[in-house]
C-alpha cells in the first residue's frame, strides 16, 4: 500500500544517498511497520527514488510530513508541500548474489548484470553497497568475474562513439601524490591530431583526483553533449566522469569506496576499463606506480594487476598496455588540487621552475600513448611528445581545451601556510606517500581546492638543519593547526640519513 505525505526539504547533506525522515508516531510508520534503516520508495509526480529511512522523535517534523535530504529532494524534483507517495521498496533480488559471493559463490554474467543494474538504478543503499564492495575486496574476484562485472558496468550507461578509427586514453591506478600527468598527456596527444576523450575521477582516498585538479583550471562537470562538442572541436577533453553518465554504477561505488578505503584488483579493473569502453576508447595505456607506500607495493603485485588489466581488455575488445613506474615518492611539488595545477601550468609554459620529474613522467606516458595509437613509430614517441611540449603546441592545445570546456581560470591560493623545517641534517632516504597524502587531506584537500602540501625534500636531496622540507597550505588557521599537529607527530614522514 502507498501513502502520501507532504514533502519538506530539511537541507541535510547525505552526499549522493537519498534519505527520508519520518516521525516515529507518523501514521504511515505505524501502519507499515517502518523502522530506522528501512528501504522505502518515494514517488513525487513521475519521479521515483529508493531511499533509506531515518526515524525522528520530537518536533522536527509534523505527522503528515516526510523530510527529505538534499539528494532525495533533488532526485524527486520536489517542491515544499508537494505530495510524496511512500511505500515499501521492492525486494532487492540481486542482493542474493551478493550474499552468495560473501559465502564464496562466484558471480556469473547474469548476477553481475543484475547487481550493476540495481546499483546504477539507485536501488542499493550504502549499507548494501558496502557489503558488495567488501565481498569483492582483496583478490576475491577472479578474471572471469572481473570481465563480467566490467561488461555489466560499461553497459549500464551511455556508450560514446567517435568517427576516428583509433581513440586513445590513459589511466594511472593511483596512490602517488601529485601525479597529475593526465593534464599534460591529453594536450600533447591531442596536439598530435589524435582523439583522446578523457574522463577522470574525483579523489577517492587521495588529496586530489585528476578532475579535482582540472576543476581549478576549467569546468569539468559539463555533461555528455558538451563533452562531445569539446572533443569534436579540440580532439581531447579532461572532464569529470560523474557528469557524463558513463558507467554510472562505478560513480556510485567510488562514493562508498572512498570512506571504506578498500582496495580490490577486480573492482579497480572493472572501474577503469568500464569507463574506457563507455567513453569509446580503443587503445589504453595504464600507469602502475610501484613503491613501499604507493597503492601497488611490489613489482610482483604490479605484474599481476597488469596481466589482469590486459587480459580483461583483450576479452572486451580493448587494446591495453601497462607500464610499471617508480612510485617511491610524490611527483612534482604540489599535493592538492590547486597546488598540483600550478605544477602542470609550469610544465606546459616551460617555466625554469617546473618540476622535472612531472615533465619527464608525462612525456614518457604521452610517448607511450602516441606509439600505442600508431601516431609514432616504436621508440619515437618520447621525442615527438617532447617536441610538441617544447614548441608550445601542447600549451596552446591545453588553453583551447579549457576554453571549449568553459574557460581557463587561475587556481586559488590558500589563506594560511606554514613551513616545516628539517630538524636533522643529512640525505633524504625515505618518503611516506600515504602520510604525505594524509597530511594534505588534514589541511583540507581536496574539499578545499587551495589546501595541501608543497613537498620540497625529494629522495636523494641533502638537507641542512632549518631547511624547508614542506609547506602546509590551508584555508583556515584551525585546519592548518590540525595538519601541523599531525605532521609534527610523525617520525618518518621524511626519513633523513645522518651525514655526519
Amino acid at each position: 500500500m502507498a501513502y502520501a505525505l507532504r514533502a519538506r526539504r530539511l537541507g541535510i547533506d547525505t552526499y549522493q544517498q537519498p534519505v527520508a525522515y519520518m516521525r516515529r508516531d507518523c501514521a504511515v510508520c505505524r501502519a507499515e511497520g517502518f523502522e530506522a534503516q528501512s528501504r522505502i520508495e518515494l514517488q513525487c509526480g513521475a519521479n521515483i527514488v529508493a531511499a533509506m529511512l531515518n526515524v525522528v522523535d520530537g518536533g522536527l517534523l509534523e505527522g503528515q510530513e516526510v523530510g527529505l535530504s538534499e539528494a532525495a529532494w533533488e532526485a524527486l524534483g520536489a517542491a515544499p508541500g508537494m505530495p510524496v507517495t511512500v511505500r515499501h521498496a521492492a525486494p532487492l533480488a540481486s542482493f542474493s548474489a551478493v550474499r552468495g559471493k560473501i559465502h564464496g559463490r562466484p558471480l556469473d554474467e547474469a548476477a553481475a548484470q543484475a547487481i550493476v543494474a540495481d546499483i546504477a538504478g539507485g536501488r542499493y543503499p550504502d549499507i548494501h553497497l558496502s557489503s558488495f564492495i567488501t565481498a569483492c575486496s582483496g583478490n576475491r574476484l577472479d578474471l572471469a568475474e572481473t570481465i563480467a562485472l566490467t561488461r555489466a558496468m560499461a553497459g549500464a550507461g551511455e556508450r560514446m562513439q567517435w568517427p576516428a578509427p583509433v581513440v586513445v586514453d590513459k589511466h594511472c591506478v593511483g596512490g602517488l601524490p601529485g601525479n597529475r600527468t593526465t593534464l599534460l598527456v591529453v594536450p600533447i596527444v591531442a596536439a598530435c591530431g589524435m582523439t583522446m576523450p578523457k574522463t577522470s575521477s574525483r579523489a577517492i582516498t587521495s588529496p586530489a583526483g585528476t578532475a579535482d585538479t582540472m576543476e581549478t583550471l576549467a569546468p569539468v562537470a559539463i555533461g555528455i553533449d558538451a563533452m562531445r562538442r569539446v572533443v569534436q572541436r579540440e580532439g581531447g577533453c579532461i572532464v569529470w566522469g560523474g557528469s557524463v553518465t558513463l558507467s554510472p554504477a562505478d560513480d556510485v561505488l567510488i562514493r562508498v569506496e572512498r570512506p571504506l578505503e578498500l582496495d580490490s584488483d577486480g573492482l579497480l579493473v572493472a572501474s577503469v576499463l568500464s569507463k574506457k569502453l563507455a567513453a569509446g576508447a580503443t587503445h589504453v595505456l595504464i600507469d602502475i606506480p610501484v613503491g613501499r607506500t604507493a597503492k601497488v607495493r611490489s613489482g610482483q603485485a604490479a605484474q599481476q594487476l597488469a596481466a589482469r588489466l590486459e587480459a580483461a581488455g583483450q576479452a572486451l575488445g580493448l587494446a591495453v598496455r601497462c607500464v610499471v613506474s617508480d612510485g617511491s615518492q610524490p611527483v612534482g611539488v604540489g599535493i592538492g588540487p590547486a597546488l598540483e595545477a600550478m605544477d602542470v601550468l609550469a610544465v606546459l609554459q616551460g617555466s625554469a621552475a617546473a618540476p622535472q620529474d612531472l615533465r619527464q613522467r608525462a612525456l614518457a606516458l604521452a610517448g607511450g600513448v602516441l606509439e600505442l595509437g600508431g601516431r609514432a613509430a616504436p621508440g619515437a614517441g618520447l621525442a615527438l611528445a617532447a617536441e610538441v611540449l617544447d614548441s608550445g603546441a601542447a600549451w596552446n592545445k591545453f588553453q583551447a581545451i579549457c576554453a571549449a570546456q568553459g574557460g581557463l581560470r587561475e587556481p586559488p591560493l590558500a589563506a594560511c601556510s606554514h613551513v616545516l623545517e628539517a630538524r636533522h641534517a643529512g640525505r633524504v632516504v625515505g618518503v611516506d606517500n600515504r602520510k604525505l597524502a594524509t597530511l594534505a587531506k588534514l589541511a583540507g584537500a581536496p574539499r578545499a581546492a587551495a589546501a595541501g602540501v608543497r613537498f620540497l625534500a625529494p629522495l636523494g636531496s641533502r638537507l641542512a638543519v632549518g631547511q624547508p622540507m614542506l609547506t602546509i597550505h590551508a584555508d583556515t588557521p584551525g585546519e592548518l593547526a590540525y595538519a601541523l599537529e599531525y605532521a609534527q607527530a610523525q617520525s618518518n614522514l621524511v626519513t633523513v640519513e645522518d651525514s655526519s
Side-chain angles (χ1 to χ4, degrees):
M1 184 177 293
Y3 298 84
L5 298 173
R6 298 191 309 274
R8 181 172 172 188
R9 185 177 190 174
L10 294 181
I12 298 174
D13 182 2
T14 55
Y15 195 34
Q16 295 173 356
Q17 180 177 214
V19 177
Y21 303 83
M22 295 166 58
R23 286 178 61 109
R24 189 182 306 276
D25 58 2
C26 168
V28 177
C29 270
R30 295 168 63 183
E32 291 297 300
F34 288 149
E35 297 178 345
Q37 299 295 298
S38 294
R39 288 181 60 251
I40 61 175
E41 190 172 88
L42 308 172
Q43 182 169 357
C44 184
N47 297 323
I48 299 175
V49 174
M52 181 69 74
L53 177 66
N54 284 353
V55 175
V56 176
D57 291 310
L60 178 65
L61 294 169
E62 296 181 5
Q64 295 304 307
E65 289 183 322
V66 56
L68 301 173
S69 70
E70 289 297 285
W73 184 268
E74 292 173 8
L76 281 173
M82 284 184 69
V84 175
T85 300
V86 183
R87 53 181 168 260
H88 284 280
L92 202 54
S94 69
F95 196 71
S96 63
V98 177
R99 284 193 292 268
K101 180 62 183 171
I102 291 170
H103 292 291
R105 188 170 72 240
L107 296 175
D108 58 21
E109 291 273 355
Q113 294 283 348
I115 292 169
V116 168
D118 279 338
I119 291 174
R123 292 181 285 275
Y124 266 46
D126 283 6
I127 192 168
H128 291 70
L129 289 168
S130 299
S131 298
F132 175 65
I133 291 165
T134 303
C136 298
S137 64
N139 293 313
R140 293 181 176 89
L141 291 176
D142 62 23
L143 179 59
E145 291 174 295
T146 301
I147 292 168
L149 190 59
T150 305
R151 184 177 285 115
M153 289 169 64
E158 296 198 48
R159 295 284 292 267
M160 302 194 78
Q161 293 184 328
W162 307 98
V166 173
V167 178
V168 295
D169 208 334
K170 62 83 61 176
H171 182 81
C172 176
V173 302
L176 201 55
N179 193 20
R180 281 311 137 237
T181 55
T182 291
L183 276 68
L184 297 164
V185 173
V186 170
I188 291 172
V189 171
C192 291
M194 301 198 76
T195 300
M196 191 168 184
K198 185 73 178 79
T199 63
S200 298
S201 300
R202 297 194 185 277
I204 301 175
T205 59
S206 69
T210 296
D212 301 309
T213 299
M214 182 65 178
E215 194 167 43
T216 69
L217 297 169
V220 295
I222 65 173
I224 197 163
D225 292 335
M227 174 185 168
R228 187 175 285 108
R229 288 193 298 270
V230 173
V231 175
Q232 289 171 344
R233 174 174 150 183
E234 299 299 339
C237 68
I238 305 167
V239 303
W240 175 44
S243 69
V244 291
T245 62
L246 303 176
S247 188
D250 184 52
D251 299 314
V252 177
L253 290 171
I254 284 174
R255 173 176 59 79
V256 178
E257 284 175 316
R258 182 183 291 114
L260 288 176
E261 296 192 16
L262 285 176
D263 288 329
S264 163
D265 278 5
L267 284 179
L268 185 153
V269 171
S271 172
V272 172
L273 298 189
S274 66
K275 288 277 179 81
K276 305 312 177 190
L277 286 166
T282 60
H283 294 69
V284 181
L285 185 76
I286 298 179
D287 178 22
I288 306 177
V290 176
R292 182 177 55 85
T293 56
K295 183 178 289 186
V296 180
R297 301 189 187 185
S298 70
Q300 180 181 5
Q303 294 301 330
Q304 290 173 346
L305 177 57
R308 182 177 295 209
L309 281 161
E310 291 171 358
Q314 183 177 20
L316 295 162
L318 192 60
V320 176
R321 180 183 298 169
C322 296
V323 294
V324 177
S325 60
D326 178 18
S328 59
Q329 63 179 331
V331 180
V333 176
I335 303 172
L339 296 171
E340 294 175 18
M342 293 173 192
D343 282 354
V344 169
L345 291 177
V347 173
L348 284 169
Q349 294 169 358
S351 168
Q356 292 304 300
D357 58 339
L358 176 61
R359 170 188 160 89
Q360 294 304 321
R361 194 180 194 96
L363 287 175
L365 291 171
V369 171
L370 292 169
E371 292 177 18
L372 178 62
R375 179 63 179 81
L382 178 61
L384 177 57
E387 177 187 340
V388 170
L389 180 61
D390 293 341
S391 70
W395 171 228
N396 291 337
K397 177 57 71 174
F398 185 78
Q399 293 177 89
I401 289 172
C402 288
Q405 289 186 199
L408 179 64
R409 53 199 179 201
E410 288 288 328
L413 299 174
C416 308
S417 64
H418 183 90
V419 176
L420 200 66
E421 300 174 341
R423 289 177 286 187
H424 308 285
R427 187 171 64 90
V428 177
V429 295
V431 177
D432 194 313
N433 288 313
R434 292 174 182 264
K435 289 184 177 180
L436 278 173
T438 297
L439 177 59
K441 289 190 287 184
L442 291 175
R447 174 190 49 79
V453 170
R454 282 181 58 81
F455 180 62
L456 307 171
L459 288 171
S461 59
R462 293 193 172 275
L463 299 176
V465 173
Q467 182 175 338
M469 289 196 308
L470 57 87
T471 305
I472 305 170
H473 295 256
D475 278 355
T476 66
E479 287 173 311
L480 180 62
Y482 189 42
L484 183 59
E485 181 182 3
Y486 172 82
Q488 292 174 333
Q490 305 308 310
S491 60
N492 58 348
L493 193 67
V494 177
T495 303
V496 179
E497 187 178 68
D498 192 347
S499 58
S500 60

